[in-house]
Amino acid sequence: MRWWDIGPVLELEQDLFPEDAWSAGMFWSELAHSRGPRATRHYVVAEDAAGRLVGYAGLAAAGDLADVQTIAAARDQWGTGLGARLLTDLLRAATAFECAEVLLEVRVDNTRAQKLYERFGFEPIGFRRGYYQPGNVDALVMRLSDPAHSVPADGPVQGETHG
């Protein structure tokens, strides 16, 4: 993800997460930590064949722990495998950051996403009550140990623009 992706990302963010969408400032802050030798973030966008931004994902790393910050796919991409490709990219980044574990929070009412994470080996470890505001929706906390062994070894993720 680059600065010029923030506008289209915000449009998708508003469509998918209208109550708790990230602001432009939040994305700018994350991108500020995604470049250079001391980078602690990895952000990626996905585009369709026409060049339309259809997904994005981000990961933060600290020591040997990574956290999936965000992952989203446009509604017309649901069921296409885009979410799995984005997650694969994040797990490759976690491996490059030498992280031993990856954590994430997912809305308790988002069973579609929970099933994706379970397919990759994430396991539920707890809840964060009222995590998603202003809707006061709980988050299920999930953990993946050893992300290097959860990533397919079949080359680059197709249909994505890194950066």
Side-chain angles (χ1 to χ4, degrees):
M1 182 184 297
R2 301 302 274 271
W3 64 266
W4 53 80
D5 295 315
I6 291 177
V9 163
L10 288 174
E11 289 177 24
L12 191 52
E13 180 84 359
Q14 284 293 326
D15 178 52
L16 297 171
F17 312 112
E19 286 189 1
D20 51 6
W22 282 23
S23 68
M26 293 170 79
F27 281 105
W28 278 104
S29 178
E30 289 295 297
L31 289 181
H33 299 283
S34 68
R35 295 275 179 248
R38 293 186 177 181
T40 58
R41 305 290 193 275
H42 173 80
Y43 276 78
V44 61
V45 296
E47 297 176 338
D48 64 13
R52 178 179 65 105
L53 191 140
V54 294
Y56 56 92
L59 178 96
D64 66 351
L65 182 64
D67 188 68
V68 173
Q69 299 290 86
T70 187
I71 187 167
R75 294 177 194 278
D76 65 345
Q77 299 295 308
W78 291 0
T80 67
L82 178 58
R85 292 190 305 274
L86 290 167
L87 184 56
T88 296
D89 186 85
L90 294 185
L91 296 179
R92 287 185 179 139
T95 300
F97 281 127
E98 299 181 354
C99 295
E101 291 185 325
V102 179
L103 295 175
L104 61 81
E105 293 88 13
V106 58
R107 289 174 64 106
V108 294
D109 57 0
N110 190 346
T111 56
R112 184 177 45 82
Q114 291 171 33
K115 288 178 183 179
L116 169 66
Y117 302 138
E118 288 169 359
R119 283 197 333 255
F120 277 76
F122 282 86
E123 297 176 336
I125 61 169
F127 293 93
R128 293 183 194 244
R129 303 288 177 209
Y131 183 79
Y132 293 99
Q133 294 296 328
N136 203 35
V137 177
D138 295 343
L140 174 64
V141 180
M142 302 181 82
R143 176 180 56 210
L144 174 66
S145 298
D146 198 8
H149 288 92
S150 297
V151 177
D154 60 351
V157 180
Q158 298 299 311
E160 296 185 11
T161 304
H162 296 266

XYZ file of all heavy atoms in Angstrom, residues 3-66:
494
model
N 0.751 5.791 -0.430
C -0.098 6.908 -0.030
C -1.253 7.113 -0.996
O -2.350 7.483 -0.601
C 0.721 8.191 0.152
C 1.364 8.704 -1.104
C 2.633 8.451 -1.545
C 0.769 9.554 -2.085
N 2.858 9.082 -2.732
C 1.721 9.776 -3.097
C -0.476 10.159 -2.211
C 1.468 10.556 -4.215
C -0.726 10.942 -3.321
C 0.235 11.136 -4.304
N -1.028 6.879 -2.290
C -2.086 7.110 -3.277
C -3.205 6.067 -3.195
O -4.244 6.239 -3.802
C -1.519 7.167 -4.689
C -0.672 5.991 -5.081
C -1.112 4.761 -5.498
C 0.747 5.946 -5.081
N -0.050 3.945 -5.757
C 1.113 4.647 -5.513
C 1.750 6.867 -4.767
C 2.449 4.248 -5.622
C 3.071 6.455 -4.885
C 3.395 5.173 -5.307
N -2.981 4.992 -2.441
C -4.022 3.979 -2.241
C -4.985 4.357 -1.119
O -6.053 3.744 -0.991
C -3.401 2.623 -1.897
C -2.579 2.043 -3.029
O -3.061 2.078 -4.171
O -1.462 1.561 -2.757
N -4.626 5.333 -0.292
C -5.434 5.629 0.889
C -6.861 6.039 0.522
O -7.811 5.583 1.149
C -4.740 6.669 1.798
C -3.491 6.028 2.429
C -5.694 7.177 2.879
C -2.669 6.954 3.293
N -7.050 6.856 -0.499
C -8.403 7.261 -0.900
C -9.291 6.071 -1.239
O -10.371 5.901 -0.655
N -8.878 5.203 -2.180
C -9.691 4.029 -2.492
C -9.854 3.075 -1.303
O -10.909 2.462 -1.135
C -8.934 3.356 -3.638
C -8.072 4.412 -4.227
C -7.763 5.367 -3.114
N -8.818 2.960 -0.480
C -8.926 2.112 0.711
C -9.996 2.656 1.652
O -10.808 1.902 2.192
C -7.555 1.985 1.425
C -7.705 1.469 2.843
C -6.629 1.081 0.624
N -10.021 3.979 1.835
C -11.022 4.580 2.720
C -12.442 4.353 2.201
O -13.368 4.126 2.999
C -10.762 6.066 2.901
C -9.552 6.427 3.754
C -9.310 7.930 3.726
C -9.720 5.931 5.181
N -12.631 4.398 0.883
C -13.951 4.120 0.315
C -14.388 2.694 0.635
O -15.531 2.465 1.053
C -13.933 4.326 -1.200
C -13.826 5.770 -1.621
C -13.744 5.926 -3.131
O -14.206 5.016 -3.856
O -13.212 6.952 -3.575
N -13.481 1.754 0.455
C -13.794 0.359 0.768
C -13.998 0.169 2.263
O -14.919 -0.535 2.700
C -12.672 -0.538 0.240
C -12.916 -2.032 0.226
C -14.208 -2.404 -0.476
C -11.730 -2.737 -0.442
N -13.184 0.829 3.056
C -13.290 0.768 4.519
C -14.669 1.243 4.977
O -15.309 0.614 5.822
C -12.177 1.632 5.130
C -12.145 1.676 6.631
C -11.408 0.521 7.280
O -10.902 -0.369 6.596
O -11.355 0.518 8.521
N -15.142 2.357 4.416
C -16.461 2.893 4.782
C -17.588 1.941 4.385
O -18.571 1.801 5.105
C -16.683 4.266 4.144
C -15.942 5.374 4.817
C -16.450 5.641 6.223
O -17.622 5.511 6.515
N -15.531 6.007 7.103
N -17.443 1.298 3.225
C -18.462 0.358 2.773
C -18.524 -0.872 3.674
O -19.608 -1.334 4.027
C -18.198 -0.056 1.324
C -19.213 -1.071 0.829
O -20.432 -0.817 0.964
O -18.803 -2.129 0.312
N -17.362 -1.402 4.045
C -17.316 -2.654 4.794
C -17.455 -2.479 6.299
O -17.986 -3.358 6.974
C -16.003 -3.380 4.482
C -15.812 -3.809 3.032
C -14.398 -4.319 2.816
C -16.845 -4.866 2.646
N -16.970 -1.381 6.826
C -16.942 -1.171 8.277
C -17.510 0.201 8.634
O -16.809 1.041 9.214
C -15.501 -1.275 8.796
C -14.759 -2.485 8.302
C -13.693 -2.350 7.420
C -15.120 -3.761 8.702
C -12.996 -3.448 6.957
C -14.430 -4.876 8.248
C -13.367 -4.724 7.373
N -18.760 0.476 8.302
C -19.285 1.842 8.453
C -19.266 2.364 9.890
O -19.074 3.555 10.096
C -20.713 1.735 7.919
C -21.054 0.288 7.971
C -19.770 -0.454 7.797
N -19.413 1.494 10.870
C -19.451 1.964 12.264
C -18.070 2.206 12.850
O -17.907 3.064 13.704
C -20.196 0.955 13.150
C -21.689 0.958 12.969
C -22.383 0.098 14.015
O -21.705 -0.472 14.881
O -23.610 0.018 13.954
N -17.093 1.432 12.428
C -15.775 1.526 13.062
C -14.643 1.608 12.038
O -13.566 1.075 12.231
C -15.549 0.377 14.042
C -15.823 -0.995 13.438
O -16.076 -1.074 12.226
O -15.782 -1.983 14.179
N -14.908 2.323 10.935
C -13.908 2.479 9.876
C -12.689 3.244 10.386
O -12.808 4.160 11.201
C -14.525 3.211 8.688
N -11.533 2.864 9.862
C -10.318 3.602 10.159
C -10.360 4.954 9.457
O -10.972 5.106 8.408
C -9.109 2.834 9.648
C -8.661 1.686 10.501
C -9.404 0.980 11.399
C -7.366 1.107 10.503
N -8.646 -0.005 11.957
C -7.384 0.051 11.417
C -6.204 1.382 9.800
C -6.260 -0.736 11.670
C -5.092 0.595 10.046
C -5.116 -0.445 10.979
N -9.646 5.903 10.015
C -9.531 7.230 9.405
C -8.307 7.263 8.499
O -7.429 6.396 8.566
C -9.373 8.280 10.501
O -8.110 8.113 11.145
N -8.229 8.300 7.676
C -7.041 8.494 6.838
C -5.795 8.598 7.708
O -4.743 8.032 7.378
C -7.205 9.744 5.975
N -5.904 9.297 8.829
C -4.761 9.442 9.729
C -4.246 8.119 10.261
O -3.033 7.938 10.433
N -5.153 7.194 10.517
C -4.732 5.877 11.002
C -3.916 5.158 9.927
O -2.877 4.558 10.221
C -5.940 5.058 11.435
C -6.623 5.626 12.670
S -8.207 4.843 13.009
C -7.663 3.326 13.764
N -4.388 5.218 8.680
C -3.628 4.579 7.601
C -2.297 5.280 7.372
O -1.269 4.616 7.166
C -4.451 4.527 6.310
C -5.461 3.420 6.308
C -6.807 3.690 6.483
C -5.069 2.090 6.138
C -7.746 2.664 6.488
C -6.005 1.064 6.148
C -7.346 1.353 6.312
N -2.277 6.610 7.393
C -1.022 7.349 7.244
C -0.025 6.940 8.318
O 1.165 6.744 8.047
C -1.259 8.857 7.297
C -1.702 9.452 6.004
C -2.967 9.853 5.683
C -0.903 9.718 4.845
N -3.000 10.345 4.404
C -1.753 10.276 3.857
C 0.442 9.535 4.546
C -1.292 10.653 2.605
C 0.906 9.916 3.287
C 0.036 10.461 2.339
N -0.500 6.822 9.547
C 0.371 6.432 10.656
C 0.957 5.041 10.436
O 2.149 4.805 10.670
C -0.419 6.480 11.972
O 0.384 6.066 13.037
N 0.123 4.119 9.993
C 0.605 2.765 9.735
C 1.635 2.752 8.608
O 2.671 2.099 8.710
C -0.569 1.841 9.398
C -1.455 1.524 10.583
C -0.725 0.722 11.648
O -0.310 -0.419 11.363
O -0.570 1.235 12.771
N 1.344 3.473 7.531
C 2.269 3.490 6.400
C 3.608 4.127 6.759
O 4.638 3.778 6.178
C 1.644 4.217 5.207
C 0.498 3.490 4.513
C -0.014 4.304 3.334
C 0.899 2.095 4.076
N 3.603 5.030 7.727
C 4.847 5.668 8.151
C 5.828 4.652 8.734
O 7.036 4.903 8.770
C 4.553 6.763 9.178
N 5.318 3.505 9.164
C 6.159 2.469 9.765
C 6.359 1.276 8.834
O 6.766 0.203 9.286
C 5.526 1.992 11.080
C 5.398 3.062 12.097
N 6.459 3.520 12.842
C 4.325 3.799 12.479
C 6.047 4.482 13.644
N 4.763 4.674 13.443
N 6.078 1.463 7.540
C 6.131 0.322 6.618
C 7.302 0.363 5.645
O 7.385 -0.489 4.761
C 4.813 0.226 5.833
O 4.677 1.317 4.945
N 8.198 1.298 5.780
C 9.316 1.446 4.849
C 10.639 1.519 5.595
O 10.703 1.956 6.734
C 9.160 2.721 4.018
C 7.970 2.709 3.115
C 8.332 2.019 1.809
N 7.186 1.983 0.940
C 6.544 0.872 0.612
N 6.921 -0.277 1.066
N 5.517 0.920 -0.203
N 11.683 1.124 4.914
C 13.034 1.271 5.441
C 13.477 0.095 6.280
O 12.717 -0.838 6.551
N 14.723 0.142 6.725
C 15.302 -0.991 7.458
C 14.671 -1.228 8.834
O 14.786 -2.318 9.373
C 16.782 -0.617 7.588
C 16.832 0.858 7.397
C 15.689 1.217 6.502
N 14.000 -0.233 9.378
C 13.357 -0.396 10.688
C 11.843 -0.552 10.578
O 11.121 -0.326 11.551
C 13.693 0.794 11.576
C 15.152 0.839 11.925
C 15.439 1.907 12.909
N 16.846 1.863 13.259
C 17.400 2.662 14.118
N 16.691 3.585 14.712
N 18.685 2.557 14.383
N 11.371 -0.941 9.422
C 9.928 -1.117 9.220
C 9.369 -2.146 10.194
O 9.990 -3.177 10.462
C 9.649 -1.555 7.791
N 8.200 -1.834 10.736
C 7.496 -2.762 11.630
C 6.092 -3.063 11.121
O 5.317 -3.720 11.809
C 7.387 -2.173 13.052
O 6.693 -0.915 12.975
C 8.750 -1.991 13.681
N 5.769 -2.555 9.941
C 4.449 -2.763 9.346
C 4.606 -3.285 7.927
O 5.587 -2.984 7.244
C 3.640 -1.462 9.281
C 3.473 -0.732 10.597
C 2.560 -1.498 11.541
N 2.134 -0.692 12.666
C 2.817 -0.527 13.792
N 3.997 -1.079 13.930
N 2.326 0.202 14.774
N 3.578 -4.020 7.493
C 3.500 -4.486 6.111
C 2.063 -4.296 5.657
O 1.143 -4.827 6.291
C 3.890 -5.965 6.012
C 3.680 -6.536 4.650
N 4.569 -6.348 3.620
C 2.665 -7.281 4.145
C 4.112 -6.958 2.545
N 2.955 -7.533 2.831
N 1.878 -3.519 4.605
C 0.544 -3.262 4.053
C 0.546 -3.594 2.574
O 1.525 -3.337 1.873
C 0.121 -1.802 4.283
C -0.463 -1.636 5.659
C 0.363 -1.550 6.766
C -1.835 -1.626 5.851
C -0.163 -1.454 8.037
C -2.375 -1.523 7.124
C -1.539 -1.442 8.217
O -2.066 -1.366 9.472
N -0.537 -4.167 2.109
C -0.665 -4.587 0.724
C -2.078 -4.263 0.242
O -3.023 -4.219 1.039
C -0.362 -6.103 0.592
C -1.332 -6.947 1.391
C -0.315 -6.541 -0.840
N -2.196 -3.983 -1.043
C -3.511 -3.814 -1.660
C -3.651 -4.829 -2.783
O -2.662 -5.310 -3.334
C -3.737 -2.390 -2.219
C -3.725 -1.373 -1.098
C -2.724 -2.041 -3.282
N -4.896 -5.136 -3.117
C -5.201 -6.020 -4.238
C -6.044 -5.250 -5.231
O -6.941 -4.492 -4.837
C -5.960 -7.248 -3.747
N -5.746 -5.431 -6.502
C -6.499 -4.781 -7.573
C -7.053 -5.837 -8.504
O -6.447 -6.898 -8.685
C -5.590 -3.838 -8.358
C -5.052 -2.702 -7.525
C -4.067 -1.825 -8.291
O -3.487 -2.317 -9.290
O -3.875 -0.677 -7.881
N -8.204 -5.543 -9.106
C -8.754 -6.446 -10.107
C -8.082 -6.166 -11.448
O -7.203 -5.295 -11.556
C -10.280 -6.357 -10.180
C -10.802 -5.010 -10.642
O -10.019 -4.168 -11.149
O -12.017 -4.778 -10.501
N -8.497 -6.897 -12.487
C -7.874 -6.761 -13.807
C -8.005 -5.355 -14.381
O -7.170 -4.912 -15.166
C -8.484 -7.778 -14.765
N -9.046 -4.624 -13.954
C -9.258 -3.256 -14.439
C -8.493 -2.217 -13.622
O -8.573 -1.022 -13.905
C -10.751 -2.928 -14.418
N -7.761 -2.655 -12.609
C -7.001 -1.729 -11.778
C -7.771 -1.154 -10.609
O -7.280 -0.263 -9.922
N -8.983 -1.660 -10.346
C -9.793 -1.188 -9.216
C -9.303 -1.851 -7.937
O -9.091 -3.061 -7.893
C -11.265 -1.540 -9.457
C -12.192 -1.133 -8.319
C -13.642 -1.487 -8.631
N -13.858 -2.912 -8.721
C -14.460 -3.652 -7.779
N -14.924 -3.106 -6.695
N -14.611 -4.945 -7.962
N -9.101 -1.057 -6.891
C -8.687 -1.594 -5.606
C -9.836 -2.415 -5.027
O -10.942 -1.906 -4.860
C -8.305 -0.459 -4.655
C -7.608 -0.921 -3.389
C -6.483 0.019 -3.040
C -8.568 -1.059 -2.249
N -9.584 -3.703 -4.763
C -10.637 -4.600 -4.288
C -10.325 -5.226 -2.934
O -11.131 -5.985 -2.400
C -10.940 -5.710 -5.321
C -11.544 -5.116 -6.582
C -9.699 -6.533 -5.635
N -9.169 -4.918 -2.377
C -8.829 -5.463 -1.070
C -7.563 -4.844 -0.525
O -6.787 -4.231 -1.266
N -7.377 -5.018 0.763
C -6.170 -4.527 1.412
C -5.985 -5.282 2.714
O -6.924 -5.883 3.257
C -6.242 -3.019 1.677
C -7.437 -2.590 2.497
C -7.365 -2.499 3.880
C -8.636 -2.302 1.866
C -8.474 -2.122 4.618
C -9.747 -1.921 2.597
C -9.658 -1.834 3.979
O -10.762 -1.474 4.714
N -4.760 -5.250 3.216
C -4.453 -5.932 4.473
C -3.214 -5.312 5.076
O -2.373 -4.763 4.364
C -4.247 -7.425 4.225
N -3.113 -5.411 6.397
C -1.953 -4.868 7.083
C -1.571 -5.684 8.300
O -2.419 -6.299 8.952
N -0.287 -5.660 8.592
C 0.288 -6.424 9.690
C 1.269 -5.538 10.449
O 2.015 -4.766 9.825
C 1.035 -7.638 9.116
C 1.744 -8.541 10.106
C 0.828 -9.722 10.447
C 3.048 -9.070 9.505
N 1.280 -5.645 11.762
C 2.270 -4.969 12.600
C 3.115 -6.034 13.284
O 2.595 -7.067 13.711
C 1.582 -4.108 13.658
N 4.412 -5.783 13.384
C 5.323 -6.723 14.027
C 6.056 -6.026 15.159
O 6.465 -4.870 15.037
C 6.324 -7.268 13.018
N 6.204 -6.745 16.264
C 6.968 -6.255 17.411
C 7.660 -7.451 18.045
O 7.000 -8.355 18.573
C 6.057 -5.569 18.419
N 8.982 -7.473 17.952
C 9.717 -8.624 18.464
C 9.333 -9.869 17.693
O 9.344 -9.870 16.464
N 8.956 -10.926 18.410
C 8.579 -12.160 17.719
C 7.061 -12.333 17.607
O 6.569 -13.419 17.342
C 9.209 -13.376 18.397
C 8.673 -13.624 19.796
O 7.945 -12.766 20.333
O 8.980 -14.695 20.356
N 6.327 -11.231 17.772
C 4.871 -11.262 17.711
C 4.371 -10.335 16.611
O 4.804 -9.190 16.512
C 4.282 -10.821 19.050
C 2.769 -10.837 19.177
C 2.231 -12.250 19.061
C 2.355 -10.226 20.497
N 3.454 -10.836 15.785
C 2.816 -10.019 14.748
C 1.333 -9.928 15.058
O 0.759 -10.809 15.716
C 3.028 -10.627 13.370
